[in-house]
Amino acid sequence: MMNDQQLLRFSRHILLDEIGIEGQEKLLATHVLVVGCGGLGAAALPYLAAGIGSLTIADADTIDETNLQRQITFTEADIGKNKALVMQGRLKQINSQTHITAIAEFLDEARLVELANAADIILDCSDNYPTRQAVNRAAVSTRTPLVSAAAVGFDGQIAVYRPDLPDSPCY
């Protein structure tokens, strides 16, 4: 049940027939695992933090100067710092009520499965094929829906995989 502050904060969502109070409450009860806080993650995470109840964000990479023109959540003062930890701080500034766990390490298969088991949905915002395959294996083994996105230059793609549904394809 949303409190008065949440009702006010999310009033624009609640006014939408497609979301309403029930939909916003569902968003607040959702736990999203986001693998990668770079170009795609930096774009998606602020929107997720604005209304999702719980986020786990994982990225072992550090911010460098070449990130700043496209990962605008980061600033010059963040250069050399871990992306997941810096992102956690920025997201808390957007919505202090969102529960955010930052993981500043490379995730092995067992850890990915553990994190996928705790999530309602996974966003794969990673930037390499081995990680994409590992995230997919975790999603399939835990039957967790997976949103996979990729971008190179001016081209991008996004796909939703539903291993929780029978006869669904995977990445």
Side-chain angles (χ1 to χ4, degrees):
M1 187 84 168
M2 284 187 281
N3 61 37
D4 289 345
Q5 179 191 14
Q6 290 171 317
L7 286 169
L8 177 62
R9 181 180 192 124
F10 302 117
S11 62
R12 301 294 174 112
H13 276 172
I14 293 167
L15 290 173
L16 297 171
D17 291 337
E18 297 83 359
I19 298 178
I21 288 178
E22 184 177 295
Q24 185 59 51
E25 286 177 339
K26 192 172 184 178
L27 289 171
L28 289 170
T30 298
H31 179 184
V32 179
L33 167 61
V34 179
V35 179
C37 296
L40 295 170
L45 281 163
Y47 288 99
L48 291 171
I52 295 294
S54 182
L55 292 170
T56 298
I57 56 177
D59 199 319
D61 200 8
T62 57
I63 300 157
D64 67 49
E65 193 166 0
T66 65
N67 300 140
L68 298 181
Q69 92 289 353
R70 67 189 192 288
Q71 298 171 23
I72 60 170
T73 310
F74 304 127
T75 69
E76 291 174 354
D78 299 323
I79 292 174
K81 297 176 184 174
N82 173 266
K83 288 182 179 182
L85 295 174
V86 171
M87 183 65 72
Q88 179 184 38
R90 293 293 186 284
L91 299 178
K92 283 307 240 179
Q93 291 174 337
I94 292 170
N95 186 354
S96 63
Q97 300 302 305
T98 299
H99 180 266
I100 303 167
T101 302
I103 301 172
E105 62 190 61
F106 290 104
L107 303 175
D108 63 15
E109 298 268 343
R111 185 76 163 122
L112 275 169
V113 168
E114 175 189 337
L115 294 170
N117 255 328
D120 298 302
I121 189 167
I122 303 167
L123 267 68
D124 179 3
C125 298
S126 65
D127 60 2
N128 66 80
Y129 192 66
T131 300
R132 290 185 179 284
Q133 290 213 315
V135 170
N136 175 70
R137 284 191 295 275
V140 169
S141 73
T142 61
R143 301 178 55 83
T144 306
L146 170 63
V147 178
S148 180
V152 176
F154 291 105
D155 296 318
Q157 65 179 19
I158 188 166
V160 177
Y161 300 101
R162 297 289 310 268
D164 56 318
L165 300 177
D167 300 321
S168 290
C170 67
Y171 180 80

